[in-house]
Amino acid sequence: MRAALLSLSLLPLPALAGPAAMPQPDSPASRMPGGILTQTSAQTGLDQWIVAFRPRALAAGIAPATLDLAFQGIRYNDSVIEKDRNQAEFTRTIWDYLDSAVSDLRVENGTAALRQHRRTLDRLEAVYGVPAEVVTAIWGLESSYGANRGDIPVIESLATLAHDGRRGPFFEAQLIDALRILQSGDVVPEAFTGSWAGAMGHTQFIPSSFHSFAVDFDGDGRRDIWSDDPTDALASTAAYLAKSGWQPGLPWGIEVTLPPGFDYGLSGKGVATPIADWAALGVTRADGSALPDIGSAELLLPAGARGAAFLITANFRAIERYNAADAYVIAVGHLSDRLAGGPPIQAAWPREDRALTGEERRELQQRLTAAGFDTKGVDGKIGPNTLAALRAFQRSIGMVPDGYASLDILKRLR
Ligand code: CA
């Protein structure tokens, strides 16, 4: 899915707000910021790349006739490269992301989509064990319930990205998988479209995910995730989650309230703690009621001690396989709760904060390490080592050790 594509960005844009699926006007490559190539030489480069690629595709089992058909009239798509360049350093706060990912409009449209496709979704739940609301929430985030499926020819976007080379091997592998899809007859060339990076259909499968998880649920002999009828796409998504370890009957997570004096050192992904232990520490549901028995759970604080707190389960991890960003998983989970009639997130967010830029995150790591709190590398990603260093630094100056990488912390280190 998008997980692999978006691994460089902290938070992906939700489909509704994202330009990925919008048609882009043609613009010469020579006018791109920092662009050197003219459209003509870029096209020549792509044509030469396709010639060199052909033997590799043949060796991978793609028939000559499929290749001839697939690459007919393929042009260099500079809008795809532009999107790829703009992707890397994109960052947003969790609350900004959730505001659009789980907007009132998306809840409203999701309620309507759920009602319209209830029979199909109930059948999917019976077969795969994934709730209708969860499948619908992914549909809502990936394509606004089918409204933004993407209309860029898949072979064109993937060939352009594979030729470009920034993530060449990844996109070449996706291109081979895309050619296999064409060869299998699941889709006709005219309908073989997607978003800028080759994510396709109602729930934005990349070609390799299609091969692993797509199903022909309506039984017409084709795994059709592109058509107006979302049945196969929704079934494929349910199959994806089921194969990723979805456990029926378990929530993705629950919003909780932490008691005064709570030890924030217990937060963070990594150690699942029995629900009875959380309850014994004074943790309750956000509405103050007792925690439900959901086995064991990890405590996630996406905005540190001043934002919402969630106990997350194995099903959080299943959604994570779809897209690894915490914000995405929380958005899917929360949207599914809202579609099931649940309330908005109860806690307030520290809205006066802004997200650190990639450069600031790297500076934070450098400064932590220089101050004796080793982040074990400077990559701009707040992983377990940076989290541990942040906590140690917070403790050393008497702050709540929530490990949240805020601007305030960076300022204190400067
Ligand atoms: Ca079908």
Side-chain angles (χ1 to χ4, degrees):
M1 284 298 113
R2 303 206 303 177
L5 299 175
L6 295 173
S7 59
L8 290 175
S9 70
L10 185 66
L11 303 177
L13 275 165
L16 189 69
M22 301 291 285
Q24 293 297 311
D26 288 353
S27 65
S30 55
R31 271 198 267 144
M32 281 173 61
I36 308 160
L37 299 175
T38 64
Q39 181 69 53
T40 313
S41 71
Q43 183 65 49
T44 306
L46 178 63
D47 291 343
Q48 288 167 348
W49 183 88
I50 291 170
V51 170
F53 167 74
R54 191 178 173 94
R56 301 199 288 277
L58 291 169
I62 309 299
T66 304
L67 288 167
D68 292 343
L69 183 69
F71 286 107
Q72 216 165 37
I74 289 293
R75 64 177 195 96
Y76 179 87
N77 191 321
D78 54 22
S79 75
V80 162
I81 297 300
E82 206 169 338
K83 296 248 167 52
D84 185 57
R85 298 293 183 266
N86 291 338
Q87 184 76 9
E89 290 274 287
F90 176 75
T91 52
R92 285 170 90 179
T93 58
I94 175 95
W95 50 92
D96 276 350
Y97 176 76
L98 289 175
D99 282 351
S100 57
V102 195
S103 64
D104 289 346
L105 180 62
R106 208 182 302 258
V107 173
E108 193 180 309
N109 289 342
T111 305
L114 196 58
R115 197 182 305 123
Q116 190 185 344
H117 298 278
R118 190 83 232 187
R119 274 183 55 191
T120 299
L121 290 160
D122 283 349
R123 282 175 62 214
L124 294 178
E125 185 162 349
V127 172
Y128 297 104
V130 183
E133 292 82 3
V134 172
V135 173
T136 304
I138 289 184
W139 187 21
L141 282 184
E142 295 293 343
S143 71
S144 295
Y145 312 103
N148 300 328
R149 280 170 270 167
D151 59 3
I152 302 175
V154 170
I155 300 295
E156 179 171 293
S157 57
L158 291 176
T160 300
L161 289 162
H163 153 252
D164 171 63
R166 192 173 78 81
R167 284 177 288 166
F170 170 77
F171 284 116
E172 180 164 329
Q174 292 300 323
L175 178 58
I176 298 266
D177 278 337
L179 291 163
R180 289 197 179 108
I181 294 172
L182 210 50
Q183 192 156 278
S184 71
D186 283 303
V187 63
V188 293
E190 307 83 75
F192 199 24
T193 58
S195 302
W196 67 270
M200 310 173 297
H202 291 266
T203 50
Q204 299 285 281
F205 271 42
I206 58 173
S208 58
S209 297
F210 182 92
H211 286 295
S212 300
F213 305 110
V215 293
D216 171 24
F217 198 76
D218 66 8
D220 71 349
R222 294 187 304 128
R223 296 169 291 175
D224 187 354
I225 62 171
W226 298 268
S227 71
D228 289 341
D229 178 353
T231 302
D232 283 1
L234 298 180
S236 301
T237 297
Y240 191 116
L241 289 175
K243 284 191 181 176
S244 300
W246 185 272
Q247 295 180 20
L250 189 67
W252 66 277
I254 46 177
E255 189 188 352
V256 295
T257 301
L258 307 174
F262 182 78
D263 174 8
Y264 283 89
L266 299 171
S267 66
K269 287 157 124 186
V271 185
T273 302
I275 228 49
D277 292 2
W278 290 120
L281 287 164
V283 178
T284 64
R285 295 192 78 128
D287 64 8
S289 63
L291 295 176
D293 182 13
I294 51 170
S296 62
E298 299 152 85
L299 179 62
L300 184 64
L301 305 173
R306 292 182 302 137
F310 301 95
L311 284 179
I312 59 170
T313 71
N315 283 346
F316 186 99
R317 300 300 194 169
I319 301 170
E320 208 171 46
R321 295 278 296 279
Y322 215 93
N323 182 316
D326 284 348
Y328 177 85
V329 182
I330 292 168
V332 167
H334 180 54
L335 179 55
S336 75
D337 288 346
R338 296 289 300 279
L339 295 177
I345 289 172
Q346 301 294 296
W349 297 106
R351 287 183 179 271
E352 66 281 9
D353 277 15
R354 66 163 174 82
L356 294 184
T357 63
E359 196 177 330
E360 286 169 339
R361 290 197 300 273
R362 287 187 288 276
E363 183 193 343
L364 179 73
Q365 291 173 321
Q366 279 158 356
R367 291 188 182 277
L368 279 168
T369 301
F373 304 94
D374 191 358
T375 60
K376 303 196 164 61
V378 175
D379 61 0
K381 292 176 189 162
I382 310 298
N385 292 326
T386 303
L387 207 63
L390 270 167
R391 285 202 167 121
F393 172 67
Q394 288 173 317
R395 280 197 191 93
S396 77
I397 58 169
M399 282 180 74
V400 171
D402 61 4
Y404 182 52
S406 67
L407 194 58
D408 175 51
I409 295 275
L410 179 58
K411 284 177 177 164
R412 284 166 191 262
L413 281 158
R414 276 175 177 159

